[in-house]
Amino acid sequence: MSKSERPSQLFRNLNAKIASIPMILTALVIFVGGSAWTVLYSFTSSKLLPRLNFVGLDQYYRLWSVPRWLVSIENLLIYGVLSLLFSLVIGFLLAALLDQKIRFEDTFRTIFLYPFALSFIVTGLVWQWLLNPEFGIQGVVRSLGWTSFSFNPLYDSSIVIYGILIAALWQGTGLIMCLMLAGLRGIDENIWKAARVDGIPTWKTYLFIIIPMMRPVFITTLVIIAAGIVKIYDLVVAQTSGGPGIASEVPAKYVYDYMFFAQNLGQGFAASTMMLLSVIIVIVPWAYLEFGGKKRV
C-alpha cells in the first residue's frame, strides 16, 4: 500500500476509538466536570443549595480554623503513614512466606484475602464487637483470669485511630499480599539460583535485588493504598461514628456531615477540594515515576 493510500493517524483503530467515546465522555463530564464544579462552588457561600455568591477564600479560612477539621487531618496523617507502612511490610512478608511453595498455599492465600471481600461496614461492625470492652477481646481475656488486662482502643480518644487502623489492616493486607506475591512470582528463578551460588544471604537478596526489580508493583500498590487512605469513611462510621467526641473524625466524614447534615455546601465543597488536592499530590508523583522515566533515552 502506498503512503497516500494508508489511513491517517486519526482513523487508525477507529472501532476502538468509537467504543471508548462513552468512557471518555463519562470521565470528562462526571469526573473532570464534577471536580471543576466543586472547586468553583467552594469559593461561594452556598448553604442548603448551590449559589454563585463568591466570598473568595473565606470557606478555606473557616475550614482551617475549625478544630474538627484539624483533628480529621491529624487522624488522616497518623492513619495514612501507619497504614502505608504496615500494609507494605506485612503484605510483603506474607507474600515472601507464601512464595516458598509451602503446603496448602491456596488455602492460606484464600484465608488472608477473604477479609477483602467484605465491605468496610461489615468489617467495622465486626471489629467494633471484637474491641468492645464488655464482650470483646478485653472481656474474654478478663474472664480467663487476667482481670487487669485492658484493651479498648475505640473508647479511648487518645488511641481510637489505632483501633480503626487494626480493622483496616485486617481487611486490606490480603490484597497487598496478593499483589506482592504476583510480583515475586514474576522474578526469574535463575536470579535466585545465582544469588545462592554467590552465597548472598536471603535477606540481602530480597533487599538489594528482588525489591528493586519489583518497583512497578510497589508503585501500583502505593497508589492503591493511598487512594484508600484519602477516602476512608465507612470504617470510621461503622466503628465509632467519629467518636469519642470528634476523636476519630476523618476528612471524608467531615465533608459528608457538612454537605448533608449541617447543610453548608460551601464548607463541604472547600473540604472536598482539599481532599482533591491530596489526591493530586499522590497521583502526580506516581504518573511521573510510572511514565516520566520511560521518555528518557
Side-chain angles (χ1 to χ4, degrees):
M1 183 182 295
S2 64
K3 185 176 181 180
S4 60
E5 295 176 349
R6 292 177 183 174
S8 65
Q9 188 70 27
L10 178 63
F11 295 101
R12 291 180 182 176
N13 301 321
L14 187 59
N15 291 336
K17 291 178 180 178
I18 293 175
S20 66
I21 288 176
M23 181 187 68
I24 295 172
L25 291 177
T26 300
L28 291 176
V29 176
I30 303 298
F31 296 107
V32 178
S35 298
W37 190 84
T38 298
V39 173
L40 174 65
Y41 278 89
S42 70
F43 297 102
T44 68
S45 60
S46 301
K47 294 293 184 182
L48 178 61
L49 295 173
R51 294 171 51 200
L52 280 174
N53 182 20
F54 291 101
V55 293
L57 297 174
D58 285 359
Q59 295 289 3
Y60 293 93
Y61 291 137
R62 189 176 299 114
L63 177 68
W64 287 100
S65 64
V66 175
R68 183 178 173 185
W69 173 255
L70 298 179
V71 169
S72 70
I73 293 298
E74 181 183 356
N75 285 335
L76 188 66
L77 290 175
I78 295 173
Y79 172 85
V81 171
L82 295 180
S83 177
L84 197 64
L85 178 63
F86 284 111
S87 294
L88 286 174
V89 172
I90 297 174
F92 184 82
L93 290 177
L94 290 175
L97 291 174
L98 289 180
D99 194 44
Q100 306 304 312
K101 308 297 190 298
I102 62 174
R103 295 182 62 184
F104 307 112
E105 176 190 329
D106 293 341
T107 302
F108 285 115
R109 188 167 61 238
T110 302
I111 292 172
F112 291 136
L113 187 59
Y114 179 76
F116 186 73
L118 303 176
S119 70
F120 271 121
I121 294 294
V122 174
T123 299
L125 291 175
V126 168
W127 278 94
Q128 184 189 59
W129 299 331
L130 288 174
L131 299 178
N132 187 289
E134 297 297 326
F135 49 82
I137 296 174
Q138 176 178 294
V140 171
V141 174
R142 287 187 176 183
S143 68
L144 296 176
W146 288 277
T147 56
S148 62
F149 179 79
S150 179
F151 186 66
N152 57 345
L154 298 185
Y155 297 84
D156 186 341
S157 59
S158 62
I159 59 173
V160 62
I161 193 64
Y162 302 105
I164 295 172
L165 176 66
I166 292 172
L169 291 175
W170 178 79
Q171 187 192 46
T173 305
L175 174 64
I176 307 305
M177 177 205 69
C178 289
L179 293 173
M180 294 296 178
L181 184 59
L184 288 172
R185 292 287 164 84
I187 302 297
D188 193 341
E189 187 65 28
N190 292 325
I191 294 175
W192 289 103
K193 293 178 180 178
R196 295 190 192 101
V197 170
D198 293 339
I200 302 175
T202 303
W203 69 271
K204 283 190 176 182
T205 304
Y206 275 112
L207 190 60
F208 297 108
I209 300 176
I210 303 302
I211 291 179
M213 294 181 65
M214 292 175 59
R215 174 179 168 274
V217 176
F218 274 95
I219 292 175
T220 301
T221 305
L222 285 172
V223 172
I224 292 174
I225 297 174
I229 290 170
V230 172
K231 66 181 183 180
I232 180 174
Y233 170 80
D234 317 49
L235 199 58
V236 174
V237 172
Q239 283 190 274
T240 65
S241 294
I246 59 171
S248 59
E249 284 288 337
V250 290
K253 187 175 182 299
Y254 182 95
V255 171
Y256 184 88
D257 288 349
Y258 267 81
M259 292 183 69
F260 297 100
F261 291 109
Q263 297 179 353
N264 190 338
L265 291 179
Q267 185 70 183
F269 289 147
S272 298
T273 302
M274 297 308 301
M275 292 182 64
L276 176 64
L277 181 62
S278 65
V279 172
I280 292 174
I281 292 173
V282 172
I283 290 179
V284 170
W286 167 76
Y288 176 77
L289 291 172
E290 191 69 14
F291 305 108
K294 296 180 180 179
K295 296 180 180 180
R296 301 191 190 101
V297 179

